[in-house]
Amino acid sequence: DLRDLLRNRPWIVLCVVGVAALTYGNIRGITLVYYFDYVVPGGRSYFGPVMTTGAIAFILGVMATSPLARRYGKRRVYLWSMSLAALLSIAYYWVPPQNLPLVWGGHALISFFSAPTAPLVWAMYADTADYSEWKSGRRATGLIFSAASFAQKLGWAIGGGGAGWLLAYFGYVANAAQDARATNGILLMVSIIPAAAAIVAIVA
């Protein structure tokens, strides 16, 4: 079973995609708290409503996934979804923190466009189980999904640990006014840095 798994190239590709996508989502998600606390003026009072709006947008994006995948194919929808999320995340760097409607709307759009990537990657893992059976004549669906789950947890770990390391690197000091380097670092961590991980997923 392990030999079949390691010879399953589509599964390996999806593991890279999963790790990169979870790194993208986790770094950005963790840093949003700091972004609203230290970068957006008065952001702490808006954080809850902005996150609620983002969650609603995410749910709508997930609901749109199935009809879009049936019409255009899972791979194509994933590529477009992650590409738009990455481009919007990069653009978020230049959104003025004082412009609350743009900050709010930009987060909602990123949430909506990144949403299909989660269900699609798991649907494609199921396809890799079919592929493995077709190539080897043996089926190991449980192993494929448990190993995929491990890859997802690795992405969460990299994203979570990476966020902490990056905050320390940029000189973040808890419960204090941040200097220009730390403020710019937090801004990079909700935009360009996670977008780099999203680009890895797109390329894979």
Side-chain angles (χ1 to χ4, degrees):
D1 287 345
L2 286 170
R3 185 173 61 250
D4 291 344
L5 187 70
L6 295 174
R7 290 175 177 174
N8 190 333
R9 184 175 175 273
W11 177 85
I12 293 171
V13 168
L14 283 181
C15 281
V16 174
V17 170
V19 170
L22 265 295
T23 301
Y24 160 76
N26 212 14
I27 288 178
R28 189 171 189 282
I30 289 171
T31 311
L32 279 169
V33 178
Y34 300 91
Y35 176 70
F36 278 89
D37 268 357
Y38 298 105
V39 181
V40 177
R44 185 171 296 188
S45 59
Y46 298 109
F47 181 72
V50 171
M51 292 301 102
T52 300
T53 306
I56 293 168
F58 190 90
I59 290 167
L60 293 173
V62 170
M63 289 170 64
T65 303
S66 184
L68 287 172
R70 279 198 300 269
R71 181 164 184 177
Y72 299 108
K74 292 187 285 286
R75 177 179 172 274
R76 186 174 296 175
V77 174
Y78 188 97
L79 284 170
W80 278 106
S81 178
M82 189 57 95
S83 296
L84 288 167
L87 288 171
L88 287 168
S89 296
I90 291 168
Y92 209 72
Y93 180 80
W94 288 277
V95 171
Q98 301 81 8
N99 190 333
L100 186 61
L102 204 53
V103 168
W104 200 325
H107 173 67
L109 283 173
I110 291 169
S111 299
F112 177 80
F113 285 116
S114 64
T117 62
L120 284 173
V121 75
W122 286 104
M124 289 190 284
Y125 276 127
D127 294 338
T128 68
D130 296 337
Y131 174 84
S132 180
E133 184 178 21
W134 174 62
K135 293 294 284 186
S136 68
R138 301 169 70 246
R139 190 171 184 89
T141 306
L143 181 62
I144 282 173
F145 275 92
S146 60
S149 179
F150 173 79
Q152 298 282 312
K153 288 176 174 64
L154 181 61
W156 278 113
I158 292 170
W165 298 328
L166 286 166
L167 285 169
Y169 172 77
F170 288 120
Y172 164 76
V173 179
N175 303 315
Q178 306 303 315
D179 61 19
R181 182 168 181 264
T183 301
N184 187 60
I186 291 170
L187 190 51
L188 285 168
M189 288 172 66
V190 294
S191 56
I192 293 172
I193 291 173
I199 289 168
V200 171
I202 294 162
V203 171

